[in-house]
Amino acid sequence: MSYLIIIVLISIVIMMFLLIMIHLGFRAPKNLEKMDPSSVGLEFKTVSIPTVSQKLLFGWLLPVQNSTTTLIILHGWGSNAEEMLPIALPFHKAGMNILLIDARNHGRSDCDSFSSLPKFAEDLGKATKWLKSNYPKYSKKIVLLGHSVGAGAVLFMASKQSDIDAVISISAFAHPKQMMQRFLKRFYAPNFLSSLIIHYVEWIIGYHYEEIAPINTICHIKCPVLLVHGSIDTTVPVEDALLISSKCKRPNIKVMIVENAGHESIEKIKLHQKELIQFLRDYDI
């Protein structure tokens, strides 16, 4: 009997250790902004946006005189608003207001329990609501742009709201389960352990992967969508963009493959600013 108790205790300890390692392993690194939009010659307002759980989001609002269109930009995992500034510049120059935000647990926003695609989308939704309430003149048209997990979040949010005028997704993964499988494969995790981790994370975030997978949410988006992806992305292969677009073949869903761009190649994607701006102009945005 004592041996059985010892085995049970050891099993509990191992399980607790495993759960702690899962939470630590999937915790987003918090990188603070070192510069602000003034470093590239732009006027801005630092804003504080209420989100859920009485937390506050940090953000920068870059206004353009007499503009009634705002582009809300959301970074990827472990990133922040500053790292998305390069992609914001051409849109600002084209005459759009810009709102850059840090998701919870990122940049200068408040910390919370954990980060996930639905929580990114939740913060994005609160930022959109805040903008409409505080700056209604800027909110006649709203465009969402997200990178990586942020891209999945803008697609998820746009699938649930009808008041978004366009979406630009950069380097979105097709399905979170496949993304996690690719990630765990790097650590040579055995199949049973990978399966356990994947199901545990699904339980923690409170959504079935099928509900939040871009390959599924894309089919519920009514506004124009541009899927941008780097041809040499090794974190999320370019095939993911093609899978997303092929799920629902509609004229409002476009794909732009950027040659020689990787997952973090925001600067290279910026070089295609004419195509990005033209995508919006084609829809009178």
Side-chain angles (χ1 to χ4, degrees), residues 80-148:
N80 58 38
E82 180 189 350
E83 294 184 27
M84 299 302 290
L85 260 177
I87 201 68
L89 295 178
F91 293 98
H92 187 267
K93 187 177 179 180
M96 299 178 200
N97 306 300
I98 305 293
L99 177 60
L100 293 132
I101 63 170
D102 287 338
R104 275 170 288 170
N105 300 318
H106 290 75
R108 298 188 182 276
S109 287
D110 287 347
C111 292
D112 206 351
S113 54
F114 62 91
S115 296
S116 65
L117 188 157
K119 285 183 178 288
F120 268 58
E122 198 170 42
D123 289 340
L124 185 65
K126 293 296 183 180
T128 303
K129 184 178 180 180
W130 173 89
L131 181 74
K132 289 186 172 186
S133 176
N134 291 274
Y135 296 91
K137 291 183 179 180
Y138 294 179
S139 309
K140 300 297 182 183
K141 291 185 178 181
I142 292 180
V143 180
L144 305 180
L145 183 151
H147 173 246
S148 193

Side-chain angles (χ1 to χ4, degrees), residues 8-265:
V8 170
L9 289 175
I10 291 174
S11 300
I12 291 173
V13 170
I14 292 173
M15 183 60 67
M16 289 179 65
F17 175 77
L18 178 61
L19 295 179
I20 291 171
M21 292 305 295
I22 291 173
H23 282 273
L24 291 176
F26 287 97
R27 184 174 59 184
K30 192 170 175 67
N31 297 311
L32 302 180
E33 286 84 355
K34 298 177 182 178
M35 295 185 292
D36 59 45
S38 66
S39 64
V40 291
L42 295 179
E43 294 183 4
F44 70 99
K45 298 177 182 179
T46 298
V47 297
S48 184
I49 301 171
T51 186
V52 300
S53 305
Q54 297 182 321
K55 303 297 182 179
L56 295 174
L57 304 178
F58 172 87
W60 289 321
L61 181 62
L62 285 59
V64 174
Q65 190 173 6
N66 299 323
S67 175
T68 58
T69 298
T70 298
L71 173 67
I72 304 178
I73 299 178
L74 184 58
H75 56 78
W77 194 264
S79 186
N80 58 38
E82 180 189 350
E83 294 184 27
M84 299 302 290
L85 260 177
I87 201 68
L89 295 178
F91 293 98
H92 187 267
K93 187 177 179 180
M96 299 178 200
N97 306 300
I98 305 293
L99 177 60
L100 293 132
I101 63 170
D102 287 338
R104 275 170 288 170
N105 300 318
H106 290 75
R108 298 188 182 276
S109 287
D110 287 347
C111 292
D112 206 351
S113 54
F114 62 91
S115 296
S116 65
L117 188 157
K119 285 183 178 288
F120 268 58
E122 198 170 42
D123 289 340
L124 185 65
K126 293 296 183 180
T128 303
K129 184 178 180 180
W130 173 89
L131 181 74
K132 289 186 172 186
S133 176
N134 291 274
Y135 296 91
K137 291 183 179 180
Y138 294 179
S139 309
K140 300 297 182 183
K141 291 185 178 181
I142 292 180
V143 180
L144 305 180
L145 183 151
H147 173 246
S148 193
V149 173
V154 301
L155 293 170
F156 182 45
M157 180 184 161
S159 73
K160 293 184 171 296
Q161 294 191 199
S162 59
D163 56 351
I164 305 302
D165 294 279
V167 170
I168 299 177
S169 159
I170 301 176
S171 306
F173 49 76
H175 201 290
K177 183 177 180 179
Q178 294 173 348
M179 184 65 190
M180 289 189 65
Q181 287 172 333
R182 288 195 292 256
F183 174 77
L184 293 170
K185 192 175 181 180
R186 300 177 188 175
F187 299 94
Y188 302 100
N191 291 337
F192 81 91
L193 183 57
S194 294
S195 180
L196 175 64
I197 293 172
I198 288 170
H199 283 95
Y200 177 70
V201 171
E202 184 179 42
W203 176 74
I204 283 292
I205 65 176
Y207 284 84
H208 292 298
Y209 291 135
E210 295 295 329
E211 293 179 72
I212 63 175
I215 197 171
N216 294 327
T217 58
I218 189 72
C219 298
H220 302 285
I221 300 175
K222 305 302 181 185
C223 67
V225 178
L226 179 63
L227 301 169
V228 183
H229 218 102
S231 66
I232 57 171
D233 190 333
T234 56
T235 302
V236 180
V238 67
E239 287 77 15
D240 277 35
L242 302 178
L243 280 172
I244 297 171
S245 65
S246 66
K247 184 64 180 291
C248 289
K249 295 182 178 180
R250 296 176 181 170
N252 65 316
I253 301 173
K254 311 292 185 183
V255 180
M256 187 175 86
I257 307 301
V258 180
E259 293 300 324
N260 300 314
H263 193 68
E264 305 294 342
S265 299

